[in-house]
Amino acid sequence: MKAILPVLMLLAPLAARAQVTFSREISRVFQAKCQICHREGDVAPFALDSFDAAKQWGDDIQRVIEKRIMPPWKPIEGHGSFKDNFGLTDDERRMILDWFKNGAPEGDRADLPEPTAKTGEWQLGDPDVVLQMPELYNVPRRKDVYRCFVVPTGFDTDTWLNAVQIVPGNRQVVHHVILFVDTKGEAAKLDAKDEEPGYDCYGGPGIPLNIDGMLGGWVPGMRASRTPEGVGLRLPKGASIVIQMHYFPAGKQHADQTKIGLYFAKESDKISRRMVFVPLVNDRFKIPAGNEDYEVNATIPILPGLQGQIHMIVPHMHLLGKRIQVTRTNSFTRANDSLILIDDWDFNWQGFYNTTEAVKLNIFDQLKVSCRFDNSEKNPRNPSNPLKVVGWGEGTEDEMCLAFLGVTFDNEDIINSIRFSKKK
Ligand code: HEC
């Protein structure tokens, strides 16, 4: 008896370590992969910040993790690499499910991590300036309301930003938000002609734009983030921000007043390059009614002068979309790199995906976006009944095959010469 005691004493700490507890392991995974949304005042319906919450929501957590519904991280591993990746690794998924199977032991509260800072609605802390729609807007009760609101910045010098966060005023009706920059007062003129707050802007803000005319956007599920080191967004002096709101009203009367937080770049950020949004887009397609798997592509060749780097990828389709991929092909070696792949497109969970490393655009590379659509009745999200041919458009029943690329060009002079949109 005496002889084996020391052996048991040696094994005991090993056995204790092997048991996964909430306090030690699970709390840390929830903190990193769930709490960005599951916390007070954020998009998710409950906070997942305690052992009690984990127990209370235990059945649901196991179901959504098993079915890979949560966390809603869409890009497939191995196709590009992105910052703020909140997807669970296979090991984490297995560990959480095993922990529940083993009776969900709490462990020693002394092992709990420091709670994450409470940031409330501003995900990057308090902005330097908050701008908002001039007044509360009563959203008309019809489908697809596109309305632009003009907000003067009043800045008397050019301003570098390293982040912009949009906070939708009413998440039940805000479908998406895009911010445009107007330096010529054109949008204010359109606003003045319209008696209601803002002006109708189906299809675009109705002002001439270059590729530096977009400042950012918001789509459901999106997180705010900073621009990469040395890269900034530029807001010209005296500019107004045009907030394009796409509302998709639910049954009852809703009002909205969306706001924007601007984060100024600091001297220490040493901004030397300017990020602009280049659309990689096919806007001339017709998806036949009933077709379950219709492919649409678009390509851009990197002609001399267009070399640069991609820092952000924003894939976009509507309700018929099922798969979207952006690739870069080297024209000499024909080597293909998949920059992003989402194969279970969900309109409710879109992202502005920031690349971990900048993706180089070499001369004569070719960029391609490839979209696949299901326009059959098998697609439960198909909004058209009876089925119809669907083409490009801004309405929810129309489609898009589009990826905005957040790009810096090696030669920034090129920015002024590329047209963004001719649409009126
Ligand atoms: C990017 C934001 C986000 C992240 C990250 C996230 N959730 Fe959620 N979660 C939501 C939202 C929003 C809902 C509400 C339902 C919906 O809109 O899909 C939700 C709903 C849920 C539900 C209830 C679902 C149901 O069907 O009743 C559970 C359980 C859940 N999340 C667990 C988790 C867990 C566990 C993690 C981390 C491993 C996580 N979520 C990460 C946003 C998020």
Side-chain angles (χ1 to χ4, degrees), residues 235-253:
L235 202 51
K237 68 177 174 189
S240 292
I241 296 179
V242 182
I243 311 179
Q244 186 199 34
M245 301 294 308
H246 176 189
Y247 296 110
F248 193 74
K252 60 181 176 114
Q253 185 63 54

Side-chain angles (χ1 to χ4, degrees), residues 33-34 37-38 43-46 48 60-61 63 70-72 86 349:
K33 304 288 173 78
C34 314
C37 299
H38 287 269
V43 294
F46 60 93
L48 192 46
D60 290 314
I61 294 172
R63 175 174 48 82
M70 285 282 148
F86 54 78
W349 288 115

Side-chain angles (χ1 to χ4, degrees), residues 214-231:
M214 190 169 132
L215 192 61
W218 180 90
V219 287
M222 173 187 167
R223 313 294 309 168
S225 76
R226 306 258 178 200
T227 48
E229 218 182 309
V231 174

Side-chain angles (χ1 to χ4, degrees), residues 280-285 294-300 323-327 367-373 400-402:
L280 179 53
V281 55
N282 181 329
D283 59 3
R284 291 150 198 258
F285 57 84
Y294 189 79
E295 187 164 331
V296 175
N297 298 309
T299 54
I300 300 182
R323 183 183 186 278
I324 187 164
Q325 182 169 29
V326 177
T327 49
L367 290 172
K368 177 174 174 186
V369 62
S370 160
C371 306
R372 296 235 295 257
F373 299 97
M400 292 198 177
C401 172
L402 165 67

